[in-house]
Amino acid sequence: VSSGQSTTSSTDSSGGTPQGIAVWEFNQGTYWCPFSSYHREALENAYKMPTPPKKVILRTADFIYEVDIRTMTQINISHPSRTQREIRRVLVDERTWNEQQNAMMAANV
């Protein structure tokens, strides 16, 4: 998904909302980069709240990010430049997700 390609997702038997795994990504400039599984879970939990919070704070080893789910942006609040990036939520089917994860793990061996 990080290559910018779109991925189709299946629908449930009632024809309702798409089913799949929600992947959260941020725009790295020339490509989309997935959030870590820990941050993806935090964003998804906030997104699914009846009234999503205005801000979600994410911490990494080096930076602190303020994510606005309503405007789909993140700001690096710990950096003097306060870099702002677009984020997105993409639904991918489970098989595609598992294949991508396996390929990434194999590449890191």
Side-chain angles (χ1 to χ4, degrees):
V1 178
S2 60
S3 65
Q5 65 192 21
S6 62
T7 309
T8 57
S9 58
S10 59
T11 56
D12 65 14
S13 60
S14 67
T17 58
Q19 298 297 304
I21 295 173
V23 177
W24 287 83
E25 301 174 318
F26 59 92
N27 189 330
Q28 188 63 30
T30 58
Y31 61 94
W32 289 91
C33 186
F35 282 92
S36 71
S37 58
Y38 178 80
H39 291 138
R40 184 177 68 237
E41 184 178 341
L43 291 169
E44 188 65 15
N45 288 340
Y47 178 83
K48 288 183 175 180
M49 293 177 128
T51 304
K54 173 90 171 116
K55 299 174 186 172
V56 177
I57 303 297
L58 302 179
R59 298 176 194 277
T60 68
D62 300 318
F63 299 109
I64 302 171
Y65 297 94
E66 179 182 281
V67 179
D68 187 329
I69 293 175
R70 296 173 190 174
T71 62
M72 298 300 273
T73 56
Q74 75 171 23
I75 299 173
N76 184 338
I77 60 174
S78 61
H79 193 276
S81 70
R82 296 182 59 85
T83 306
Q84 182 170 324
R85 300 184 190 280
E86 181 183 7
I87 66 167
R88 70 181 181 182
R89 178 180 182 265
V90 181
L91 291 179
V92 297
D93 63 72
E94 189 170 359
R95 186 172 68 197
T96 300
W97 175 252
N98 290 334
E99 289 171 359
Q100 289 175 349
Q101 295 304 300
N102 290 337
M104 285 180 10
M105 286 192 300
N108 290 329
V109 172

